[in-house]
mmCIF file of all heavy atoms in Angstrom:
data_model
loop_
_atom_site.group_PDB
_atom_site.id
_atom_site.type_symbol
_atom_site.label_atom_id
_atom_site.label_comp_id
_atom_site.label_asym_id
_atom_site.label_seq_id
_atom_site.Cartn_x
_atom_site.Cartn_y
_atom_site.Cartn_z
ATOM 1 N N ILE K 1 -0.856 -15.124 17.891
ATOM 2 C CA ILE K 1 -2.219 -15.627 17.706
ATOM 3 C C ILE K 1 -2.337 -17.001 18.350
ATOM 4 O O ILE K 1 -1.607 -17.933 17.983
ATOM 5 C CB ILE K 1 -2.577 -15.702 16.209
ATOM 6 C CG1 ILE K 1 -2.499 -14.306 15.572
ATOM 7 C CG2 ILE K 1 -3.966 -16.306 16.016
ATOM 8 C CD1 ILE K 1 -2.674 -14.307 14.066
ATOM 9 N N ARG K 2 -3.220 -17.126 19.291
ATOM 10 C CA ARG K 2 -3.441 -18.419 19.946
ATOM 11 C C ARG K 2 -4.313 -19.306 19.064
ATOM 12 O O ARG K 2 -5.241 -18.816 18.415
ATOM 13 C CB ARG K 2 -4.072 -18.219 21.320
ATOM 14 C CG ARG K 2 -3.118 -17.532 22.306
ATOM 15 C CD ARG K 2 -3.672 -17.442 23.710
ATOM 16 N NE ARG K 2 -4.816 -16.531 23.767
ATOM 17 C CZ ARG K 2 -6.048 -16.903 24.031
ATOM 18 N NH1 ARG K 2 -6.331 -18.192 24.236
ATOM 19 N NH2 ARG K 2 -7.029 -16.026 24.081
ATOM 20 N N TYR K 3 -4.002 -20.591 19.057
ATOM 21 C CA TYR K 3 -4.686 -21.519 18.155
ATOM 22 C C TYR K 3 -4.843 -22.871 18.822
ATOM 23 O O TYR K 3 -4.255 -23.140 19.879
ATOM 24 C CB TYR K 3 -3.898 -21.663 16.843
ATOM 25 C CG TYR K 3 -2.505 -22.223 17.051
ATOM 26 C CD1 TYR K 3 -2.261 -23.600 17.011
ATOM 27 C CD2 TYR K 3 -1.428 -21.381 17.307
ATOM 28 C CE1 TYR K 3 -1.002 -24.110 17.222
ATOM 29 C CE2 TYR K 3 -0.154 -21.887 17.521
ATOM 30 C CZ TYR K 3 0.057 -23.249 17.480
ATOM 31 O OH TYR K 3 1.309 -23.757 17.690
ATOM 32 N N HIS K 4 -5.638 -23.719 18.194
ATOM 33 C CA HIS K 4 -5.810 -25.075 18.706
ATOM 34 C C HIS K 4 -5.998 -26.032 17.538
ATOM 35 O O HIS K 4 -6.388 -25.630 16.446
ATOM 36 C CB HIS K 4 -7.019 -25.167 19.650
ATOM 37 C CG HIS K 4 -8.312 -24.797 18.999
ATOM 38 N ND1 HIS K 4 -8.729 -23.478 18.849
ATOM 39 C CD2 HIS K 4 -9.302 -25.559 18.445
ATOM 40 C CE1 HIS K 4 -9.906 -23.448 18.250
ATOM 41 N NE2 HIS K 4 -10.276 -24.694 17.986
ATOM 42 N N GLU K 5 -5.700 -27.303 17.795
ATOM 43 C CA GLU K 5 -5.914 -28.353 16.803
ATOM 44 C C GLU K 5 -7.263 -28.992 17.104
ATOM 45 O O GLU K 5 -7.486 -29.527 18.188
ATOM 46 C CB GLU K 5 -4.809 -29.400 16.864
ATOM 47 C CG GLU K 5 -4.977 -30.508 15.828
ATOM 48 C CD GLU K 5 -3.822 -31.495 15.829
ATOM 49 O OE1 GLU K 5 -2.789 -31.220 16.485
ATOM 50 O OE2 GLU K 5 -3.948 -32.550 15.184
ATOM 51 N N LYS K 6 -8.156 -28.927 16.144
ATOM 52 C CA LYS K 6 -9.501 -29.456 16.351
ATOM 53 C C LYS K 6 -9.519 -30.961 16.148
ATOM 54 O O LYS K 6 -9.930 -31.716 17.008
ATOM 55 C CB LYS K 6 -10.488 -28.761 15.411
ATOM 56 C CG LYS K 6 -11.938 -29.092 15.687
ATOM 57 C CD LYS K 6 -12.867 -28.241 14.833
ATOM 58 C CE LYS K 6 -14.322 -28.561 15.099
ATOM 59 N NZ LYS K 6 -15.233 -27.744 14.247
ATOM 60 N N GLU K 7 -9.090 -31.396 14.970
ATOM 61 C CA GLU K 7 -9.000 -32.828 14.674
ATOM 62 C C GLU K 7 -8.179 -33.006 13.407
ATOM 63 O O GLU K 7 -8.105 -32.108 12.567
ATOM 64 C CB GLU K 7 -10.387 -33.452 14.499
ATOM 65 C CG GLU K 7 -11.210 -32.823 13.373
ATOM 66 C CD GLU K 7 -12.564 -33.479 13.215
ATOM 67 O OE1 GLU K 7 -12.693 -34.650 13.587
ATOM 68 O OE2 GLU K 7 -13.483 -32.815 12.718
ATOM 69 N N LEU K 8 -7.526 -34.140 13.301
ATOM 70 C CA LEU K 8 -6.823 -34.517 12.076
ATOM 71 C C LEU K 8 -5.891 -33.427 11.555
ATOM 72 O O LEU K 8 -5.793 -33.186 10.360
ATOM 73 C CB LEU K 8 -7.853 -34.874 10.983
ATOM 74 C CG LEU K 8 -8.848 -35.988 11.330
ATOM 75 C CD1 LEU K 8 -9.882 -36.142 10.229
ATOM 76 C CD2 LEU K 8 -8.118 -37.296 11.572
ATOM 77 N N GLY K 9 -5.209 -32.741 12.460
ATOM 78 C CA GLY K 9 -4.233 -31.736 12.053
ATOM 79 C C GLY K 9 -4.804 -30.384 11.692
ATOM 80 O O GLY K 9 -4.071 -29.482 11.285
ATOM 81 N N GLN K 10 -6.125 -30.208 11.839
ATOM 82 C CA GLN K 10 -6.750 -28.938 11.479
ATOM 83 C C GLN K 10 -6.503 -27.897 12.563
ATOM 84 O O GLN K 10 -6.878 -28.092 13.715
ATOM 85 C CB GLN K 10 -8.259 -29.123 11.305
ATOM 86 C CG GLN K 10 -8.638 -30.136 10.252
ATOM 87 C CD GLN K 10 -10.130 -30.427 10.246
ATOM 88 O OE1 GLN K 10 -10.922 -29.649 10.734
ATOM 89 N NE2 GLN K 10 -10.500 -31.567 9.690
ATOM 90 N N LEU K 11 -5.879 -26.768 12.183
ATOM 91 C CA LEU K 11 -5.583 -25.710 13.141
ATOM 92 C C LEU K 11 -6.556 -24.540 12.977
ATOM 93 O O LEU K 11 -6.796 -24.076 11.859
ATOM 94 C CB LEU K 11 -4.145 -25.214 12.967
ATOM 95 C CG LEU K 11 -3.045 -26.266 13.181
ATOM 96 C CD1 LEU K 11 -1.676 -25.590 13.153
ATOM 97 C CD2 LEU K 11 -3.238 -27.020 14.491
ATOM 98 N N PHE K 12 -7.084 -24.062 14.105
ATOM 99 C CA PHE K 12 -8.034 -22.955 14.135
ATOM 100 C C PHE K 12 -7.542 -21.885 15.106
ATOM 101 O O PHE K 12 -6.859 -22.195 16.086
ATOM 102 C CB PHE K 12 -9.406 -23.426 14.634
ATOM 103 C CG PHE K 12 -10.156 -24.322 13.709
ATOM 104 C CD1 PHE K 12 -9.815 -25.661 13.581
ATOM 105 C CD2 PHE K 12 -11.225 -23.839 12.966
ATOM 106 C CE1 PHE K 12 -10.525 -26.504 12.735
ATOM 107 C CE2 PHE K 12 -11.945 -24.675 12.121
ATOM 108 C CZ PHE K 12 -11.592 -26.000 11.996
ATOM 109 N N CYS K 13 -7.926 -20.647 14.859
ATOM 110 C CA CYS K 13 -7.696 -19.585 15.832
ATOM 111 C C CYS K 13 -8.549 -19.844 17.076
ATOM 112 O O CYS K 13 -9.693 -20.274 16.964
ATOM 113 C CB CYS K 13 -8.081 -18.219 15.261
ATOM 114 S SG CYS K 13 -7.139 -17.702 13.817
ATOM 115 N N ASP K 14 -8.001 -19.559 18.250
ATOM 116 C CA ASP K 14 -8.798 -19.657 19.465
ATOM 117 C C ASP K 14 -9.883 -18.590 19.491
ATOM 118 O O ASP K 14 -10.963 -18.803 20.035
ATOM 119 C CB ASP K 14 -7.913 -19.475 20.701
ATOM 120 C CG ASP K 14 -7.111 -20.727 21.028
ATOM 121 O OD1 ASP K 14 -7.273 -21.737 20.328
ATOM 122 O OD2 ASP K 14 -6.323 -20.682 21.990
ATOM 123 N N GLU K 15 -9.580 -17.438 18.920
ATOM 124 C CA GLU K 15 -10.486 -16.301 19.047
ATOM 125 C C GLU K 15 -11.225 -16.004 17.748
ATOM 126 O O GLU K 15 -12.409 -16.300 17.624
ATOM 127 C CB GLU K 15 -9.709 -15.072 19.528
ATOM 128 C CG GLU K 15 -9.106 -15.270 20.924
ATOM 129 C CD GLU K 15 -8.200 -14.139 21.326
ATOM 130 O OE1 GLU K 15 -8.378 -13.012 20.814
ATOM 131 O OE2 GLU K 15 -7.295 -14.376 22.164
ATOM 132 N N SER K 16 -10.555 -15.435 16.750
ATOM 133 C CA SER K 16 -11.278 -14.957 15.572
ATOM 134 C C SER K 16 -10.420 -15.040 14.325
ATOM 135 O O SER K 16 -9.204 -14.809 14.364
ATOM 136 C CB SER K 16 -11.710 -13.504 15.799
ATOM 137 O OG SER K 16 -12.177 -12.920 14.601
ATOM 138 N N SER K 17 -11.075 -15.335 13.207
ATOM 139 C CA SER K 17 -10.387 -15.334 11.918
ATOM 140 C C SER K 17 -9.884 -13.939 11.551
ATOM 141 O O SER K 17 -8.979 -13.803 10.729
ATOM 142 C CB SER K 17 -11.326 -15.857 10.829
ATOM 143 O OG SER K 17 -12.537 -15.140 10.816
ATOM 144 N N ARG K 18 -10.470 -12.926 12.159
ATOM 145 C CA ARG K 18 -9.995 -11.558 11.928
ATOM 146 C C ARG K 18 -8.512 -11.434 12.255
ATOM 147 O O ARG K 18 -7.787 -10.642 11.650
ATOM 148 C CB ARG K 18 -10.835 -10.595 12.768
ATOM 149 C CG ARG K 18 -10.274 -9.196 12.924
ATOM 150 C CD ARG K 18 -10.101 -8.462 11.617
ATOM 151 N NE ARG K 18 -11.357 -8.202 10.930
ATOM 152 C CZ ARG K 18 -11.412 -7.593 9.746
ATOM 153 N NH1 ARG K 18 -10.286 -7.228 9.127
ATOM 154 N NH2 ARG K 18 -12.568 -7.376 9.175
ATOM 155 N N GLN K 19 -8.030 -12.260 13.199
ATOM 156 C CA GLN K 19 -6.617 -12.208 13.573
ATOM 157 C C GLN K 19 -5.706 -12.594 12.399
ATOM 158 O O GLN K 19 -4.617 -12.043 12.253
ATOM 159 C CB GLN K 19 -6.356 -13.134 14.759
ATOM 160 C CG GLN K 19 -7.058 -12.699 16.036
ATOM 161 C CD GLN K 19 -6.913 -13.741 17.118
ATOM 162 O OE1 GLN K 19 -7.469 -14.845 17.039
ATOM 163 N NE2 GLN K 19 -6.145 -13.426 18.146
ATOM 164 N N ILE K 20 -6.151 -13.546 11.589
ATOM 165 C CA ILE K 20 -5.344 -13.944 10.428
ATOM 166 C C ILE K 20 -5.306 -12.819 9.403
ATOM 167 O O ILE K 20 -4.253 -12.514 8.824
ATOM 168 C CB ILE K 20 -5.897 -15.240 9.806
ATOM 169 C CG1 ILE K 20 -5.839 -16.385 10.824
ATOM 170 C CG2 ILE K 20 -5.128 -15.605 8.539
ATOM 171 C CD1 ILE K 20 -4.445 -16.795 11.247
ATOM 172 N N VAL K 21 -6.455 -12.182 9.157
ATOM 173 C CA VAL K 21 -6.482 -11.053 8.227
ATOM 174 C C VAL K 21 -5.593 -9.930 8.737
ATOM 175 O O VAL K 21 -4.792 -9.355 7.981
ATOM 176 C CB VAL K 21 -7.926 -10.555 8.011
ATOM 177 C CG1 VAL K 21 -7.931 -9.293 7.144
ATOM 178 C CG2 VAL K 21 -8.772 -11.636 7.368
ATOM 179 N N ASN K 22 -5.706 -9.614 10.024
ATOM 180 C CA ASN K 22 -4.875 -8.541 10.580
ATOM 181 C C ASN K 22 -3.397 -8.882 10.493
ATOM 182 O O ASN K 22 -2.562 -8.007 10.229
ATOM 183 C CB ASN K 22 -5.269 -8.273 12.028
ATOM 184 C CG ASN K 22 -6.625 -7.593 12.155
ATOM 185 O OD1 ASN K 22 -7.118 -7.013 11.189
ATOM 186 N ND2 ASN K 22 -7.232 -7.676 13.319
ATOM 187 N N MET K 23 -3.057 -10.145 10.712
ATOM 188 C CA MET K 23 -1.666 -10.579 10.578
ATOM 189 C C MET K 23 -1.151 -10.338 9.166
ATOM 190 O O MET K 23 -0.047 -9.796 8.964
ATOM 191 C CB MET K 23 -1.562 -12.062 10.933
ATOM 192 C CG MET K 23 -0.176 -12.665 10.757
ATOM 193 S SD MET K 23 -0.183 -14.471 10.907
ATOM 194 C CE MET K 23 -0.819 -14.912 9.292
ATOM 195 N N LEU K 24 -1.943 -10.716 8.173
ATOM 196 C CA LEU K 24 -1.535 -10.519 6.782
ATOM 197 C C LEU K 24 -1.418 -9.037 6.450
ATOM 198 O O LEU K 24 -0.487 -8.617 5.746
ATOM 199 C CB LEU K 24 -2.533 -11.202 5.843
ATOM 200 C CG LEU K 24 -2.579 -12.728 5.927
ATOM 201 C CD1 LEU K 24 -3.769 -13.269 5.147
ATOM 202 C CD2 LEU K 24 -1.276 -13.343 5.407
ATOM 203 N N LEU K 25 -2.341 -8.234 6.959
ATOM 204 C CA LEU K 25 -2.271 -6.792 6.718
ATOM 205 C C LEU K 25 -1.037 -6.190 7.395
ATOM 206 O O LEU K 25 -0.387 -5.301 6.823
ATOM 207 C CB LEU K 25 -3.544 -6.107 7.219
ATOM 208 C CG LEU K 25 -4.815 -6.415 6.420
ATOM 209 C CD1 LEU K 25 -6.032 -5.783 7.083
ATOM 210 C CD2 LEU K 25 -4.677 -5.918 4.977
ATOM 211 N N ASP K 26 -0.707 -6.664 8.578
ATOM 212 C CA ASP K 26 0.503 -6.182 9.254
ATOM 213 C C ASP K 26 1.752 -6.569 8.460
ATOM 214 O O ASP K 26 2.703 -5.777 8.346
ATOM 215 C CB ASP K 26 0.590 -6.764 10.666
ATOM 216 C CG ASP K 26 -0.432 -6.141 11.618
ATOM 217 O OD1 ASP K 26 -0.985 -5.081 11.267
ATOM 218 O OD2 ASP K 26 -0.668 -6.727 12.691
ATOM 219 N N GLU K 27 1.764 -7.787 7.927
ATOM 220 C CA GLU K 27 2.906 -8.218 7.115
ATOM 221 C C GLU K 27 2.998 -7.388 5.838
ATOM 222 O O GLU K 27 4.101 -7.041 5.384
ATOM 223 C CB GLU K 27 2.767 -9.708 6.774
ATOM 224 C CG GLU K 27 2.976 -10.636 7.956
ATOM 225 C CD GLU K 27 4.426 -10.647 8.429
ATOM 226 O OE1 GLU K 27 5.333 -10.803 7.591
ATOM 227 O OE2 GLU K 27 4.649 -10.488 9.650
ATOM 228 N N CYS K 28 1.850 -7.063 5.247
ATOM 229 C CA CYS K 28 1.856 -6.200 4.058
ATOM 230 C C CYS K 28 2.366 -4.810 4.407
ATOM 231 O O CYS K 28 3.165 -4.216 3.664
ATOM 232 C CB CYS K 28 0.445 -6.111 3.466
ATOM 233 S SG CYS K 28 -0.070 -7.586 2.551
ATOM 234 N N ALA K 29 1.926 -4.289 5.540
ATOM 235 C CA ALA K 29 2.370 -2.961 5.962
ATOM 236 C C ALA K 29 3.877 -2.942 6.179
ATOM 237 O O ALA K 29 4.553 -1.951 5.847
ATOM 238 C CB ALA K 29 1.632 -2.550 7.229
ATOM 239 N N ALA K 30 4.407 -4.036 6.705
ATOM 240 C CA ALA K 30 5.855 -4.111 6.929
ATOM 241 C C ALA K 30 6.626 -4.057 5.624
ATOM 242 O O ALA K 30 7.805 -3.674 5.602
ATOM 243 C CB ALA K 30 6.198 -5.391 7.696
ATOM 244 N N GLY K 31 5.961 -4.438 4.536
ATOM 245 C CA GLY K 31 6.601 -4.396 3.223
ATOM 246 C C GLY K 31 6.196 -3.186 2.400
ATOM 247 O O GLY K 31 6.525 -3.121 1.205
ATOM 248 N N GLY K 32 5.474 -2.260 3.032
ATOM 249 C CA GLY K 32 5.075 -1.051 2.317
ATOM 250 C C GLY K 32 4.059 -1.290 1.220
ATOM 251 O O GLY K 32 3.953 -0.484 0.277
ATOM 252 N N VAL K 33 3.280 -2.355 1.331
ATOM 253 C CA VAL K 33 2.302 -2.689 0.299
ATOM 254 C C VAL K 33 1.131 -1.706 0.342
ATOM 255 O O VAL K 33 0.617 -1.380 1.417
ATOM 256 C CB VAL K 33 1.778 -4.126 0.501
ATOM 257 C CG1 VAL K 33 0.663 -4.458 -0.483
ATOM 258 C CG2 VAL K 33 2.933 -5.131 0.376
ATOM 259 N N GLN K 34 0.702 -1.256 -0.819
ATOM 260 C CA GLN K 34 -0.502 -0.433 -0.925
ATOM 261 C C GLN K 34 -1.681 -1.334 -1.284
ATOM 262 O O GLN K 34 -1.571 -2.169 -2.178
ATOM 263 C CB GLN K 34 -0.327 0.648 -1.990
ATOM 264 C CG GLN K 34 0.800 1.639 -1.699
ATOM 265 C CD GLN K 34 0.919 2.685 -2.793
ATOM 266 O OE1 GLN K 34 -0.086 3.245 -3.231
ATOM 267 N NE2 GLN K 34 2.135 2.940 -3.234
ATOM 268 N N ILE K 35 -2.802 -1.128 -0.586
ATOM 269 C CA ILE K 35 -3.988 -1.950 -0.806
ATOM 270 C C ILE K 35 -5.177 -1.049 -1.113
ATOM 271 O O ILE K 35 -5.441 -0.100 -0.370
ATOM 272 C CB ILE K 35 -4.292 -2.829 0.419
ATOM 273 C CG1 ILE K 35 -3.112 -3.779 0.702
ATOM 274 C CG2 ILE K 35 -5.574 -3.622 0.214
ATOM 275 C CD1 ILE K 35 -3.281 -4.613 1.958
ATOM 276 N N SER K 36 -5.866 -1.353 -2.203
ATOM 277 C CA SER K 36 -7.067 -0.610 -2.583
ATOM 278 C C SER K 36 -8.257 -1.550 -2.573
ATOM 279 O O SER K 36 -8.241 -2.586 -3.246
ATOM 280 C CB SER K 36 -6.906 -0.005 -3.981
ATOM 281 O OG SER K 36 -5.829 0.908 -4.022
ATOM 282 N N VAL K 37 -9.305 -1.212 -1.813
ATOM 283 C CA VAL K 37 -10.541 -1.988 -1.812
ATOM 284 C C VAL K 37 -11.620 -1.208 -2.561
ATOM 285 O O VAL K 37 -11.484 -0.005 -2.797
ATOM 286 C CB VAL K 37 -11.003 -2.319 -0.371
ATOM 287 C CG1 VAL K 37 -9.988 -3.202 0.324
ATOM 288 C CG2 VAL K 37 -11.237 -1.035 0.413
ATOM 289 N N GLY K 38 -12.667 -1.911 -2.947
ATOM 290 C CA GLY K 38 -13.694 -1.276 -3.770
ATOM 291 C C GLY K 38 -13.126 -0.792 -5.086
ATOM 292 O O GLY K 38 -13.578 0.198 -5.645
ATOM 293 N N CYS K 39 -12.141 -1.530 -5.575
ATOM 294 C CA CYS K 39 -11.393 -1.105 -6.764
ATOM 295 C C CYS K 39 -11.549 -2.155 -7.865
ATOM 296 O O CYS K 39 -10.738 -3.072 -7.979
ATOM 297 C CB CYS K 39 -9.925 -0.897 -6.405
ATOM 298 S SG CYS K 39 -8.908 -0.265 -7.747
ATOM 299 N N ALA K 40 -12.598 -2.016 -8.652
ATOM 300 C CA ALA K 40 -12.852 -2.979 -9.721
ATOM 301 C C ALA K 40 -11.865 -2.793 -10.862
ATOM 302 O O ALA K 40 -11.491 -1.666 -11.204
ATOM 303 C CB ALA K 40 -14.275 -2.812 -10.238
ATOM 304 N N VAL K 41 -11.443 -3.905 -11.447
ATOM 305 C CA VAL K 41 -10.566 -3.871 -12.620
ATOM 306 C C VAL K 41 -11.438 -3.905 -13.863
ATOM 307 O O VAL K 41 -12.278 -4.792 -14.023
ATOM 308 C CB VAL K 41 -9.584 -5.055 -12.611
ATOM 309 C CG1 VAL K 41 -8.786 -5.098 -13.905
ATOM 310 C CG2 VAL K 41 -8.654 -4.961 -11.410
ATOM 311 N N GLN K 42 -11.241 -2.940 -14.727
ATOM 312 C CA GLN K 42 -12.069 -2.821 -15.925
ATOM 313 C C GLN K 42 -11.412 -3.418 -17.163
ATOM 314 O O GLN K 42 -12.080 -3.966 -18.036
ATOM 315 C CB GLN K 42 -12.398 -1.338 -16.169
ATOM 316 C CG GLN K 42 -13.206 -0.731 -15.025
ATOM 317 C CD GLN K 42 -12.925 0.740 -14.789
ATOM 318 O OE1 GLN K 42 -11.992 1.308 -15.364
ATOM 319 N NE2 GLN K 42 -13.726 1.371 -13.941
ATOM 320 N N GLN K 43 -10.094 -3.322 -17.221
ATOM 321 C CA GLN K 43 -9.384 -3.798 -18.409
ATOM 322 C C GLN K 43 -7.920 -4.034 -18.069
ATOM 323 O O GLN K 43 -7.329 -3.303 -17.261
ATOM 324 C CB GLN K 43 -9.494 -2.759 -19.539
ATOM 325 C CG GLN K 43 -8.928 -3.225 -20.874
ATOM 326 C CD GLN K 43 -9.064 -2.150 -21.948
ATOM 327 O OE1 GLN K 43 -9.292 -0.978 -21.652
ATOM 328 N NE2 GLN K 43 -8.928 -2.540 -23.199
ATOM 329 N N VAL K 44 -7.347 -5.052 -18.689
ATOM 330 C CA VAL K 44 -5.914 -5.340 -18.534
ATOM 331 C C VAL K 44 -5.307 -5.414 -19.923
ATOM 332 O O VAL K 44 -5.825 -6.096 -20.812
ATOM 333 C CB VAL K 44 -5.684 -6.666 -17.786
ATOM 334 C CG1 VAL K 44 -4.184 -6.969 -17.691
ATOM 335 C CG2 VAL K 44 -6.304 -6.617 -16.391
ATOM 336 N N GLN K 45 -4.201 -4.718 -20.100
ATOM 337 C CA GLN K 45 -3.520 -4.699 -21.392
ATOM 338 C C GLN K 45 -2.044 -5.013 -21.197
ATOM 339 O O GLN K 45 -1.505 -4.942 -20.101
ATOM 340 C CB GLN K 45 -3.653 -3.308 -22.042
ATOM 341 C CG GLN K 45 -5.077 -2.888 -22.339
ATOM 342 C CD GLN K 45 -5.160 -1.433 -22.758
ATOM 343 O OE1 GLN K 45 -4.600 -0.562 -22.107
ATOM 344 N NE2 GLN K 45 -5.845 -1.166 -23.875
ATOM 345 N N GLY K 46 -1.400 -5.308 -22.303
ATOM 346 C CA GLY K 46 0.053 -5.467 -22.290
ATOM 347 C C GLY K 46 0.480 -6.897 -22.141
ATOM 348 O O GLY K 46 -0.210 -7.841 -22.532
ATOM 349 N N GLY K 47 1.631 -7.072 -21.530
ATOM 350 C CA GLY K 47 2.237 -8.385 -21.378
ATOM 351 C C GLY K 47 3.737 -8.282 -21.503
ATOM 352 O O GLY K 47 4.295 -7.225 -21.835
#
């Protein structure tokens, strides 16, 4: 992912923030992570 420093140490993608999301999803895929969207949590029990 190409990036640049805008000012005061702030780093931004040269192209799109979508690249950061895709990077995280690729890292999750490498770990076999399952992801569910549109999945509301109704109740949590236990501990």
Side-chain angles (χ1 to χ4, degrees):
I1 299 173
R2 293 186 292 114
Y3 61 90
H4 60 278
E5 181 176 349
K6 189 173 180 181
E7 59 179 334
L8 303 174
Q10 301 172 21
L11 299 187
F12 290 77
C13 298
D14 282 358
E15 297 173 26
S16 169
S17 54
R18 165 60 64 182
Q19 295 173 292
I20 299 295
V21 175
N22 289 341
M23 177 190 78
L24 294 170
L25 291 175
D26 288 345
E27 289 291 311
C28 284
V33 175
Q34 298 180 46
I35 299 176
S36 299
V37 296
C39 184
V41 174
Q42 298 148 351
Q43 187 180 16
V44 178
Q45 298 170 311

